[in-house]
């Protein structure tokens, strides 16, 4: 586990692909428990450690996850996430170059609970929710293109589904149209940057994730802005 930012009220850690944020039916140790153990040991805390989960990343996704260390921070962060006051930037590796180097995607998404999958439509259909994101081409390697994504709504599998609908499925994401899986079972989607006003101190906090260690991420050539 890699701690990227820490103070008395919040802790931000880097989640490896394959880790779960909260416990699920697999019974695997969630990241939240690993963070609790870290806090307990570092600060020699007696008894149970408080840790609040304020958002999640899909299991195959890597990158930044924010946890609350106090109940005050938890309630305020929950409110901030709900109002869209926590700005998250994602990076995605895709095999196909988008038709335009930047743009806004708008779809109507429906969710199939049994398949744990979302479907994108160009117009509203029964049970659908509007999904909007902005993307920008920021780099490329020999075979892949790096997109920077800013979410304007928060829907189930939104980035995965909308990029696929654009003809640019994320590398390794078999569920949404990638032709082959990544060797480690990950998908090449990274929660890269988090930008918000601290819920207690009111400082402006900006945190960036390290890149995954595999060569495909490390060999990206960034385009000049």
């Amino acid at each position: 586990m890699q701690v990227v930012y820490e103070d008395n009220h919040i802790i931000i850690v880097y989640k490896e692909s394959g880790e779960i944020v909260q416990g699920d039916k697999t019974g695997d140790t969630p990241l939240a428990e690993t963070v609790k153990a870290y806090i307990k040991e570092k600060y020699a805390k007696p008894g149970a450690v408080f840790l609040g989960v304020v958002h999640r990343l899909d299991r195959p996704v890597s990158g930044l996850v924010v946890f609350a260390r106090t109940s005050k921070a938890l309630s305020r962060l929950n409110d901030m996430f709900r109002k869209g006051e926590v700005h998250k930037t994602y990076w995605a590796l895709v095999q196909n170059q988008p038709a335009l180097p930047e743009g806004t995607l708008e779809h109507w998404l429906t969710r199939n609970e049994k398949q744990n999958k979302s479907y994108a439509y160009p117009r509203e259909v029964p049970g659908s929710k509007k999904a909007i994101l902005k993307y920008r081409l920021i780099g490329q390697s020999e075979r892949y293109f790096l997109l920077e994504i800013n979410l304007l709504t928060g829907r189930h599998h939104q980035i995965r589904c909308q990029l696929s609908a654009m003809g640019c499925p994320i590398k390794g994401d078999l569920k949404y149209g990638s032709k082959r899986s990544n060797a480690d079972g990950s998908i090449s989607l990274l929660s890269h940057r988090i930008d918000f006003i601290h819920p207690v101190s009111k400082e402006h906090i900006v945190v960036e994730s390290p890149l995954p260690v595999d060569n495909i991420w490390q060999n990206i050539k960034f385009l000049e802005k």
Side-chain angles (χ1 to χ4, degrees):
M1 183 193 74
Q2 187 174 348
V3 177
V4 185
Y5 175 90
E6 180 180 3
D7 63 30
N8 290 337
H9 291 280
I10 63 175
I11 182 167
I12 304 175
V13 302
Y14 175 79
K15 180 184 103 60
E16 301 277 359
S17 64
E19 288 186 303
I20 50 173
V21 174
Q22 270 188 306
D24 65 7
K25 60 180 182 288
T26 64
D28 295 341
T29 302
L31 185 59
E33 291 303 317
T34 306
V35 175
K36 280 184 184 179
Y38 160 84
I39 292 170
K40 188 174 181 68
E41 183 178 350
K42 180 174 180 179
Y43 300 102
K45 282 191 173 287
V49 171
F50 179 90
L51 192 75
V53 176
V54 291
H55 71 119
R56 295 160 190 78
L57 290 181
D58 294 342
R59 186 166 194 156
V61 177
S62 56
L64 301 175
V65 181
V66 182
F67 294 98
R69 290 190 55 198
T70 61
S71 55
K72 179 191 285 188
L74 177 62
S75 62
R76 291 181 184 179
L77 280 169
N78 280 336
D79 198 40
M80 288 165 65
F81 269 93
R82 192 171 61 250
K83 291 177 179 174
E85 294 170 357
V86 179
H87 305 289
K88 291 185 289 178
T89 304
Y90 291 82
W91 284 2
L93 286 177
V94 299
Q95 197 153 6
N96 302 326
Q97 184 170 4
L100 298 171
E102 61 182 289
T104 301
L105 301 183
E106 292 193 16
H107 294 94
W108 292 85
L109 302 191
T110 61
R111 180 176 180 178
N112 184 312
E113 296 276 359
K114 280 187 179 174
Q115 294 176 324
N116 189 31
K117 185 175 178 181
S118 290
Y119 291 85
Y121 297 88
R123 60 191 65 82
E124 189 171 9
V125 298
S128 63
K129 293 180 177 178
K130 194 169 190 179
I132 309 171
L133 64 75
K134 292 181 180 291
Y135 75 88
R136 184 167 65 94
L137 178 64
I138 61 167
Q140 65 185 84
S141 64
E142 284 183 17
R143 292 174 54 196
Y144 300 100
F145 299 89
L146 179 62
L147 303 182
E148 182 173 88
I149 295 130
N150 286 291
L151 288 174
L152 302 186
T153 53
R155 307 299 181 209
H156 176 257
H157 289 182
Q158 181 178 337
I159 296 173
R160 299 166 68 179
C161 185
Q162 286 195 277
L163 291 187
S164 177
M166 181 173 71
C168 299
I170 295 169
K171 181 182 181 301
D173 195 359
L174 298 179
K175 181 170 278 192
Y176 288 97
S178 179
K179 291 183 174 63
R180 60 182 69 85
S181 61
N182 289 343
D184 61 359
S186 69
I187 65 172
S188 298
L189 178 61
L190 176 71
S191 170
H192 175 252
R193 187 174 191 263
I194 292 181
D195 179 336
F196 61 100
I197 302 301
H198 193 289
V200 181
S201 72
K202 304 306 178 188
E203 284 179 78
H204 184 196
I205 305 293
V206 180
V207 180
E208 291 194 348
S209 161
L211 284 180
V213 294
D214 68 64
N215 288 335
I216 292 161
W217 283 99
Q218 299 295 328
N219 291 333
I220 292 291
K221 301 287 190 295
F222 287 88
L223 305 178
E224 291 185 16
K225 290 184 180 178

